[in-house]
């Protein structure tokens, strides 16, 4: 026997009441609950839907859904770290490595022969990073209501905002002349090489976080969940 | 390290510790795609009820495997609800092969230790 739409909705309410606030996690748990309940009702003549739900929920243990949600949050963070790292390393493999190394060499030459003042680079970087931060916060907090409650989406924007914040502070140490370590070798080629490697690397990460992955999310996530998003209206 | 919550008699619980990922990989390699409840049912049936995987173990494992990139998921409409199916990635297929070889080797060694040849 199949559960009715009303019963399915009851299961969604049940997961929400038991602290599952992410829709994608709710979808998976509701399907599990529904499958188990349907089997219980089919095999036991007189059991009610509510009683079957109670018994199925017991099999989730004393923590219920809580640990599942916590571990999923942790797993999603690891997922995005791995994804960014995989995409980042593409820029250091053939053929993209040609472009990456060319940009680094160009930047190093501009710095070495003082064709690009350090102050201009610093200010440009700060403006760009600040704009990226504001844009990411907009994406995180004001995005489409329907998808905001999906852990898959929410975890990406939380990770991305954190990454941009972290990189935002890097120039303070790289460009700050009062930072003793930099002062000692700021006029040497090593400093120029350091900047020439770090700045484009950060730019690649920003590109992945702000452009590539959000575009991918639009394609794959919306495509996969279009039936559900149509269902919930 | 996930805490064991496979519901097994205490006497042999340690024997199955750490094998959950292997079991899931094997099932996915044979079945193509499966959903969570289906995995728990199949394991119970194949083991004649000896191994019952608790949801508190299965879903964190599936999510961890997905984060590692050895399985992928796809959500599809089934009647009046959505269902998340898991399948192996290319990386997962290679890892399954490697794990199965290791497991065969391990079982072979254990057999010889437990059944030494007497001369």
């Amino acid at each position: 026997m199949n559960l009715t739409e009303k019963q399915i909705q009851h299961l969604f309410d049940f997961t929400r009441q038991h602290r599952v606030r992410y829709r994608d996690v709710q979808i998976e748990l509701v399907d599990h609950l529904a499958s188990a309940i349907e089997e219980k009702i089919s095999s036991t003549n007189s059991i009610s839907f509510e009683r079957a739900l109670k018994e199925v929920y017991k099999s989730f243990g004393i923590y219920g859904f809580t640990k599942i949600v916590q571990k999923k949050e942790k797993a999603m963070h690891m997922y995005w770290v791995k994804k960014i790292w995989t995409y980042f390393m593409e820029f250091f493999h053939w053929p993209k490595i040609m472009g990456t190394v060319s940009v680094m060499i160009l930047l190093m030459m501009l710095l070495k022969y003082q064709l690009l003042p350090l102050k201009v680079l610093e200010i440009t970087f700060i403006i760009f990073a600040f704009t990226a931060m504001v844009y990411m916060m907009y994406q995180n907090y004001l995005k489409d209501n329907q998808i905001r409650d999906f852990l898959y989406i929410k975890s990406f924007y939380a990770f991305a905002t954190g990454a941009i914040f972290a990189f935002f502070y890097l120039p303070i140490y790289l460009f700050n002349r009062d930072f003793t370590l930099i002062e000692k070798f700021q006029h040497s080629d090593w400093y120029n090489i350091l900047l020439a490697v770090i700045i484009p690397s950060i730019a690649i990460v920003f590109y992945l976080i702000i452009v590539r992955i959000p575009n991918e999310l639009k394609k794959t996530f919306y495509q996969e969940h279009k039936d559900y998003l149509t269902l919930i209206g | 390290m996930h805490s064991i919550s496979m519901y097994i008699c205490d006497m042999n619980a340690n024997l199955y510790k750490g094998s959950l990922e292997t079991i899931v990989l094997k099932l996915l390699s044979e079945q193509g795609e499966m959903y969570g409840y289906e995995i728990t049912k199949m394991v119970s049936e194949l083991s004649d009820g000896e191994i019952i995987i608790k949801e508190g173990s299965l879903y964190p494992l599936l999510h961890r495997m997905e984060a590692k990139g050895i399985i992928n998921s796809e959500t599809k409409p089934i009647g009046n609800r959505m269902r998340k199916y898991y399948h192996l990635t290319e990386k997962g297929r290679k890892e399954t092969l490697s794990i199965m070889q290791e497991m065969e080797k391990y079982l072979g060694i254990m057999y010889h230790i437990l059944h030494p040849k007497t001369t």
Side-chain angles (χ1 to χ4, degrees), chain A residues 172-184 186:
Chain A
I172 293 172
Y173 301 104
L174 274 181
F175 296 112
N176 188 350
R177 252 65 82 208
D178 292 334
F179 190 52
T180 316
L181 183 66
I182 300 295
E183 197 184 357
K184 278 189 180 157
Q186 64 169 302

Side-chain angles (χ1 to χ4, degrees), chain B residues 72-88:
Chain B
N72 243 344
S73 66
E74 197 184 339
T75 311
K76 296 179 188 172
I78 298 287
N80 55 9
R81 61 183 189 257
M82 301 291 286
R83 175 169 287 162
K84 195 170 183 182
Y85 287 90
Y86 293 94
H87 58 267
L88 292 179

Side-chain angles (χ1 to χ4, degrees), chain A residues 80-131:
Chain A
W80 292 119
V81 168
K82 273 184 114 62
K83 202 170 190 84
I84 296 281
W85 178 249
T86 304
Y87 285 171
F88 178 77
M89 287 312 292
E90 281 176 10
F91 286 85
F92 294 90
H93 284 88
W94 183 263
K96 284 182 179 160
I97 192 169
M98 297 298 291
T100 310
V101 170
S102 302
V103 168
M104 287 178 176
I105 291 171
L106 176 66
L107 185 58
M108 206 199 79
M109 291 296 141
L110 289 173
L111 290 169
K112 182 181 167 73
Y113 297 110
Q114 295 175 12
L115 297 171
L116 177 63
L118 214 52
K119 201 72 191 169
V120 169
L121 185 62
E122 183 182 358
I123 291 169
T124 309
F125 184 90
I126 289 171
I127 291 171
F128 182 75
F130 184 75
T131 310

Side-chain angles (χ1 to χ4, degrees), chain B residues 30-74:
Chain B
E30 285 175 351
Q31 301 296 322
E33 62 173 20
M34 297 178 81
Y35 57 99
Y37 183 69
E38 192 182 12
I39 294 173
T40 60
K41 258 197 87 179
M42 191 163 281
V43 170
S44 173
E45 281 168 13
L46 289 173
S47 64
D48 289 329
E50 285 288 322
I51 304 175
I52 300 170
I53 303 177
K54 291 290 192 184
E55 289 77 356
S57 283
L58 176 70
Y59 285 106
L61 172 69
L62 289 172
H63 299 155
R64 214 163 45 239
M65 289 167 75
E66 196 174 5
K68 273 159 66 173
I70 53 179
I71 63 174
N72 243 344
S73 66
E74 197 184 339

Side-chain angles (χ1 to χ4, degrees), chain A residues 22-220:
Chain A
Y22 304 115
R23 289 196 191 196
D24 39 359
V25 184
Q26 286 172 7
I27 287 170
E28 192 167 22
L29 292 174
V30 161
D31 179 55
H32 185 105
L33 292 170
S35 301
I37 289 168
E38 280 166 357
E39 191 174 321
K40 245 191 200 326
I41 292 175
S42 298
S43 60
T44 318
N45 277 333
S46 56
I47 194 167
S48 67
F49 168 77
E50 284 295 340
R51 174 87 191 272
L53 172 58
K54 227 177 185 172
E55 287 184 16
V56 168
Y57 183 60
K58 248 195 229 166
S59 66
F60 280 81
I62 55 168
Y63 298 109
F65 300 136
T66 311
K67 286 242 158 134
I68 292 175
V69 174
Q70 282 173 356
K71 289 183 180 180
K72 173 87 178 169
E73 285 170 337
K74 214 171 160 185
M76 283 313 300
H77 181 83
M78 186 166 88
Y79 174 84
W80 292 119
V81 168
K82 273 184 114 62
K83 202 170 190 84
I84 296 281
W85 178 249
T86 304
Y87 285 171
F88 178 77
M89 287 312 292
E90 281 176 10
F91 286 85
F92 294 90
H93 284 88
W94 183 263
K96 284 182 179 160
I97 192 169
M98 297 298 291
T100 310
V101 170
S102 302
V103 168
M104 287 178 176
I105 291 171
L106 176 66
L107 185 58
M108 206 199 79
M109 291 296 141
L110 289 173
L111 290 169
K112 182 181 167 73
Y113 297 110
Q114 295 175 12
L115 297 171
L116 177 63
L118 214 52
K119 201 72 191 169
V120 169
L121 185 62
E122 183 182 358
I123 291 169
T124 309
F125 184 90
I126 289 171
I127 291 171
F128 182 75
F130 184 75
T131 310
M133 222 161 54
V134 170
Y135 177 74
M136 201 45 66
M137 284 166 72
Y138 164 77
Q139 291 289 322
N140 198 11
Y141 293 107
L142 298 176
K143 197 77 184 141
D144 187 348
N145 263 333
Q146 278 190 345
I147 63 162
R148 207 175 353 140
D149 291 334
F150 281 78
L151 179 59
Y152 188 73
I153 303 289
K154 207 173 175 73
S155 62
F156 168 69
Y157 284 108
F159 168 81
T161 308
I164 290 177
F165 262 108
F167 285 125
F168 185 68
Y169 285 99
L170 197 61
I172 293 172
Y173 301 104
L174 274 181
F175 296 112
N176 188 350
R177 252 65 82 208
D178 292 334
F179 190 52
T180 316
L181 183 66
I182 300 295
E183 197 184 357
K184 278 189 180 157
F185 72 106
Q186 64 169 302
H187 296 297
S188 75
D189 279 341
W190 285 113
Y191 182 62
N192 294 331
I193 291 171
L194 186 72
L195 286 182
V197 169
I198 290 179
I199 301 293
S201 297
I202 294 174
I204 290 169
V205 174
F206 276 25
Y207 158 73
L208 294 173
I209 284 173
I210 296 167
V211 178
R212 182 166 167 183
I213 292 180
N215 283 342
E216 263 183 29
L217 284 181
K218 271 189 199 137
K219 272 190 211 159
T220 58

